Amino acid sequence: MIVRASCVIAFCSLVASASLGQETEPPLEVAPTPFEETIKPTFETQKQARTYVLDIPAPRGQITDRNGVPLAQNKLSYNLAIDFPTPLDFSDAQVVVFARQKIRAAEKLLDRSLPISDAAILRHYHNRGFLPFEIAQDLKESERNELKGRLPPALSLRPIYVRVYPNEKLAGQIIGYTGRTSRNVDSIIQNGQLLWPETEGREGLEQTFNSMLSGRHGHYKVTFDRDGRETSARIVEPPVPGYNVITTLDLRLQELAEKALAAKAKRGAIVILDPNTGDILALASWPTYDPNEFIPSISAAKFKELQGDPNIPLLPRAYRSAYPPGSTFKVAVGIAALESGTVTPQDQYECVPSIDVGNVTFHNWKHTDRGSLNFIQALTESCDTWFYQVGIKTGAGPILDWATKLGFGAKCGIPLKGEVEGRVPNDDYMKATHGRKILNGDIANLSIGQGDVLVTPLQMAQSMAIVANGGTFYQTRLVQQVQTVDNQIVAAYSVRAKKTINASALTMQNVHTGLVDAVNGPTGTAHQASLDDVSVAGKTGTAQWGPKEKERTAAWFAGFVPAEHPQYAFAALYESEVGSTVHGGSAAAPMIGKILRQLYEGKNGSEQKQREEPEESDDTSD
């Protein structure tokens, strides 16, 4: 007599369907027999009456975007298994002969080899023989179709639910992936063991919210009579699916960001926020990976390939990498200078080709004398020598203070492991690193976002969101709420204003005007991000970092749109090849321009329009 755990199979199909949002009927149940209640559990021998209660893993909850579009969900996967007849009274030789017959039949049907040792067969039979013995896992759809209706006796398809990421690479580094908590168990069966291996989050939101996504185990009871024959099998407590995690991501914006990166950059990141709430709408890094490659488990060769890729696809650059901000940092320097009273909006300084600070000559990125400029003009055309002079006059203290107020040098607090703080280099850092306090040369470098200052693309977008809304610092939010499968809220993460930076309306207006002119004015550096009918505000930046022999260029464009009533704040980062020089205006701004044209000018605007670009030198600012 061959007994299959039909109630578990049926229930597995049902809970997997439920986790995909499909309607289901109540799970099937095998009714207990009167004899079952008289059995006393014993584990001394498999030839006596006994009852086992085993755990049924729960399906993981879904992860969705802000509109409920699934980012991570479950699907049914099928394993091919041998069902040994009970009572388990075969000799070892009989067990092997029985199993080998079934394996040969399966190999013929699947048209592939199933390398299974006699030792593995016997170990399963002696330790847990009444459970299905899996001989092929995660069958392809074509293989399942081939097996349906053709399975010989004692072979069965065993359905289990596995994780699937329906959008493949899209948002893969944010969602993360899962892995099995253990291999298939073949030891002597004990009460409370799992019917099949469970999975846990290993990266991204899957890892952070693992306990909420995991759900609660169910219980499966199987009873044998004194001769070792199975007399009943039923689900005594169904598993409870895990909670669903609702993110702030907008899948369409995430897709636009990743496509822009894929088309333009070998390495880079784009972040888009809602400046009125702090919600992260897109958090894209490039290159990335497909988390489906980790399901049910990643091969050693594939994992080695990912780890060995020089472009580091496993690195979410948007929040785990920090770069010198280049001229985008001039926004913080300008606010510090205006708010400290060092300069007024009307004050002018010469935009000369170079100035000497101590015994070092600091250059402007343009080699011509640009004449006398006020703050708006200097920000518009990103005059380095203007900011050297004003930065040194302002002093390190106010610049570092305002950089901190804008969120630099501190984690944004998203629920993902590994977020870096970046760096705002104060005297303590300089003494520990360089053995001296901050000097005027350091301030000159700091004034154009170079030297020791480092920021993440997420921090950059956050700072622009603060400027966009007039000075309110919202807590950056990646997850809106966690809820049950029937939409009951378990945990909510509300929109929260942490503070206001208390910059004057006049200062913020001057910064706003300078950012608009940088994109739209005749001397601006970001024309390739401009739109025909919508005003874009933004700032380009270019900086070099890394050891000389491996030096790269970080090209930035950051800002907000529409300038008058901001809907999006953004930051784009482009990493150059070693030894090559690119610029924020020609590398980063076009990526944002492509996204904005698709948002505001429709699909016909998706083709990159050629915009007039001011001539740039090979210097390191813009």
Side-chain angles (χ1 to χ4, degrees):
M1 165 182 158
I2 297 172
V3 179
R4 295 184 176 87
S6 59
C7 58
V8 176
I9 292 174
F11 186 79
C12 180
S13 301
L14 288 163
V15 293
S17 297
S19 69
L20 292 171
Q22 301 172 7
E23 294 184 359
T24 63
E25 297 295 330
L28 300 177
E29 183 174 303
V30 177
T33 65
F35 176 75
E36 175 191 353
E37 305 307 324
T38 68
I39 299 272
K40 294 183 179 180
T42 174
F43 309 102
E44 295 175 358
T45 172
Q46 292 195 9
K47 296 299 183 181
Q48 294 179 350
R50 63 205 181 278
T51 296
Y52 292 111
V53 179
L54 304 176
D55 279 19
I56 308 170
R60 288 178 73 81
Q62 294 189 77
I63 301 173
T64 77
D65 85 338
R66 66 191 300 111
N67 300 309
V69 180
L71 305 175
Q73 56 187 171
N74 305 307
K75 71 172 182 178
L76 278 179
S77 176
Y78 290 86
N79 300 337
L80 183 61
I82 297 173
D83 301 302
F84 291 105
T86 60
L88 301 172
D89 54 7
F90 283 165
S91 67
D92 283 2
Q94 289 174 316
V95 171
V96 172
V97 169
F98 182 87
R100 287 293 168 205
Q101 289 176 343
K102 306 309 172 186
I103 291 171
R104 282 194 296 272
E107 288 177 330
K108 187 175 181 180
L109 288 168
L110 295 175
D111 193 26
R112 63 183 171 99
S113 175
L114 299 175
I116 299 166
S117 68
D118 289 352
I121 295 169
L122 291 171
R123 193 160 52 244
H124 178 89
Y125 188 81
H126 289 308
N127 292 338
R128 51 205 308 114
F130 72 87
L131 290 177
F133 176 50
E134 294 181 350
I135 58 176
Q137 296 182 342
D138 196 29
L139 297 178
K140 298 176 182 176
E141 185 176 357
S142 60
E143 292 177 325
R144 295 199 305 272
N145 292 335
E146 185 67 26
L147 293 173
K148 284 178 181 177
R150 302 181 60 190
L151 281 175
L155 282 179
S156 64
L157 288 174
R158 188 188 193 199
I160 62 172
Y161 29 80
V162 298
R163 207 59 162 162
V164 64
Y165 303 97
N167 305 292
E168 299 178 339
K169 288 185 177 183
L170 194 59
Q173 291 176 332
I174 307 167
I175 303 163
Y177 52 85
T178 61
R180 288 177 175 170
T181 56
S182 64
R183 62 181 180 83
N184 285 329
V185 179
D186 58 10
S187 58
I188 295 174
I189 197 163
Q190 303 288 336
N191 273 348
Q193 284 188 348
L194 289 167
L195 282 170
W196 57 80
E198 196 170 27
T199 60
E200 64 182 0
R202 297 284 174 78
E203 180 59 276
L205 294 173
E206 291 274 32
Q207 182 180 37
T208 302
F209 289 89
N210 183 66
S211 61
M212 292 184 172
L213 289 164
S214 292
R216 189 175 71 241
H217 291 173
H219 299 297
Y220 172 66
K221 188 175 184 180
V222 57
T223 305
F224 299 84
D225 65 16
R226 290 175 176 82
D227 296 320
R229 290 184 175 86
E230 185 177 316
T231 59
S232 71
R234 66 187 179 117
I235 296 168
V236 294
E237 184 180 347
V240 177
Y243 299 140
N244 296 329
V245 175
I246 315 302
T247 71
T248 62
L249 295 174
D250 183 314
L251 195 61
R252 184 191 178 211
L253 284 174
Q254 182 74 25
E255 183 177 17
L256 290 176
E258 291 193 18
K259 283 184 174 179
L261 285 164
K264 182 72 176 179
K266 278 191 174 182
R267 295 165 301 275
I270 292 176
V271 181
I272 303 174
L273 305 181
D274 182 340
N276 305 300
T277 63
D279 282 1
I280 298 174
L281 304 176
L283 189 65
S285 301
W286 199 260
T288 184
Y289 62 87
D290 184 351
N292 289 298
E293 293 174 339
F294 290 82
I295 307 300
S297 60
I298 192 169
S299 68
K302 183 60 181 179
F303 192 61
K304 184 177 180 181
E305 179 187 336
L306 287 172
Q307 285 187 313
D309 189 325
N311 292 320
I312 324 178
L314 294 175
L315 174 66
R317 288 170 163 82
Y319 63 93
R320 277 191 196 161
S321 290
Y323 307 83
S327 291
T328 57
F329 197 70
K330 290 172 181 173
V331 172
V333 176
I335 294 174
L338 292 168
E339 286 298 297
S340 66
T342 303
V343 297
T344 68
Q346 293 75 35
D347 288 343
Q348 295 186 338
Y349 288 81
E350 294 297 317
C351 182
V352 292
S354 65
I355 64 170
D356 292 332
V357 180
N359 58 357
V360 178
T361 299
F362 288 78
H363 297 274
N364 186 23
W365 69 279
K366 288 184 177 180
H367 299 305
T368 57
D369 191 325
R370 303 294 298 166
S372 297
L373 305 177
N374 61 25
F375 168 70
I376 291 175
Q377 294 167 330
L379 188 65
T380 298
E381 61 178 83
S382 200
C383 176
D384 293 335
T385 48
W386 193 98
F387 280 92
Y388 296 144
Q389 298 172 74
V390 170
I392 291 171
K393 186 176 180 182
T394 303
I399 295 174
L400 299 179
D401 286 346
W402 280 98
T404 302
K405 289 180 181 180
L406 289 171
F408 297 124
K411 295 179 181 181
C412 296
I414 58 174
L416 294 173
K417 292 188 176 180
E419 184 188 359
V420 297
E421 293 182 344
R423 183 193 303 139
V424 175
N426 56 21
D427 273 335
D428 290 339
Y429 166 82
M430 295 298 290
K431 288 175 182 176
T433 305
H434 301 292
R436 55 176 172 77
K437 65 179 183 178
I438 297 176
L439 303 177
N440 281 346
D442 301 314
I443 298 175
N445 268 327
L446 182 66
S447 297
I448 62 166
Q450 299 197 155
D452 290 85
V453 61
L454 295 173
V455 307
T456 69
L458 178 58
Q459 289 173 334
M460 182 64 71
Q462 178 181 254
S463 72
M464 285 298 175
I466 297 170
V467 173
N469 66 41
T472 301
F473 191 149
Y474 286 100
Q475 171 61 51
T476 305
R477 192 171 69 143
L478 180 60
V479 172
Q480 294 186 40
Q481 61 194 40
V482 179
Q483 60 191 44
T484 64
V485 291
D486 56 354
N487 299 323
Q488 298 298 309
I489 296 175
V490 176
Y493 305 90
S494 302
V495 172
R496 179 169 65 91
K498 296 171 66 174
K499 61 182 178 181
T500 57
I501 62 172
N502 292 322
S504 69
L506 179 60
T507 292
M508 299 306 287
Q509 182 57 50
N510 273 264
V511 171
H512 184 282
T513 302
L515 294 176
V516 171
D517 288 352
V519 178
N520 304 285
T523 60
T525 59
H527 292 163
Q528 292 201 46
S530 64
L531 302 177
D532 291 334
D533 300 316
V534 178
S535 179
V536 180
K539 183 73 192 77
T540 57
T542 308
Q544 293 175 341
W545 94 103
K548 274 293 180 184
E549 65 278 7
K550 294 183 179 181
E551 193 171 70
R552 295 181 186 272
T553 300
W556 291 90
F557 180 60
F560 48 91
V561 64
E564 298 79 11
H565 302 286
Q567 183 179 10
Y568 305 111
F570 53 78
L573 180 279
Y574 176 105
E575 279 189 28
S576 79
E577 297 290 345
V578 172
S580 68
T581 300
V582 295
H583 303 276
S586 57
M591 293 194 292
I592 293 296
K594 184 174 184 178
I595 294 170
L596 297 183
R597 276 184 276 283
Q598 293 189 66
L599 286 175
Y600 290 103
E601 296 179 1
K603 292 183 179 179
N604 292 332
S606 61
E607 293 297 323
Q608 179 67 53
K609 297 180 181 179
Q610 294 299 315
R611 307 282 174 165
E612 183 183 353
E613 176 99 5
E615 183 181 352
E616 293 179 335
S617 75
D618 60 356
D619 207 347
T620 60
S621 180
D622 288 296

